[in-house]
Amino acid sequence: MRLATPLLKPDATLKNFFHYKSRFADIINLVCFDGQPILSRNSLSNEDTDMSTVFDFDEHPISFNAYRDTLVKVSVGGIYALIAIENQKAIDYHIPVRT
């Protein structure tokens, strides 16, 4: 993988990198399961990253648009979970892990 240049944006580069299920499984196994091979690429499915919605507060609808960098549905032993990876451009020590 090449480093980011003005024509190669970090967000797009990481989205492309983690789009490959084996890479996603490897990083989640490393970070969440101490390197144990709990997830495999066969237990993952890429999901739509659009998290947009509309809230209706007292007849005044408010729209909220948000997009995840990577969103994957995980299935292990009949248990399902959604795991997202976000690229942060600036370090925020108050939020090391987002849920």
Side-chain angles (χ1 to χ4, degrees):
M1 182 170 68
R2 292 184 264 171
L3 298 176
T5 67
L7 296 177
L8 192 60
K9 308 282 187 213
D11 274 353
T13 302
L14 288 174
K15 281 182 187 182
N16 184 56
F17 184 83
F18 286 117
H19 183 73
Y20 293 92
K21 295 176 186 177
S22 58
R23 292 176 183 164
F24 188 91
D26 286 345
I27 193 69
I28 298 301
N29 284 333
L30 178 66
V31 171
C32 297
F33 302 114
D34 294 323
Q36 297 179 44
I38 304 297
L39 302 180
S40 70
R41 64 186 173 111
N42 296 331
S43 65
L44 308 177
S45 64
N46 292 320
E47 298 295 318
D48 183 12
T49 60
D50 182 2
M51 306 295 285
S52 302
T53 190
V54 175
F55 297 103
D56 190 8
F57 293 111
D58 298 324
E59 298 182 16
H60 300 288
I62 300 170
S63 64
F64 176 76
N65 296 331
Y67 298 91
R68 298 275 183 200
D69 288 339
T70 303
L71 182 63
V72 173
K73 182 170 75 172
V74 177
S75 172
V76 177
I79 298 173
Y80 294 92
L82 291 173
I83 300 175
I85 293 180
E86 290 288 326
N87 178 35
Q88 284 186 245
K89 294 178 184 162
I91 296 173
D92 184 351
Y93 291 106
H94 295 100
I95 309 174
V97 176
R98 296 180 183 188
T99 58

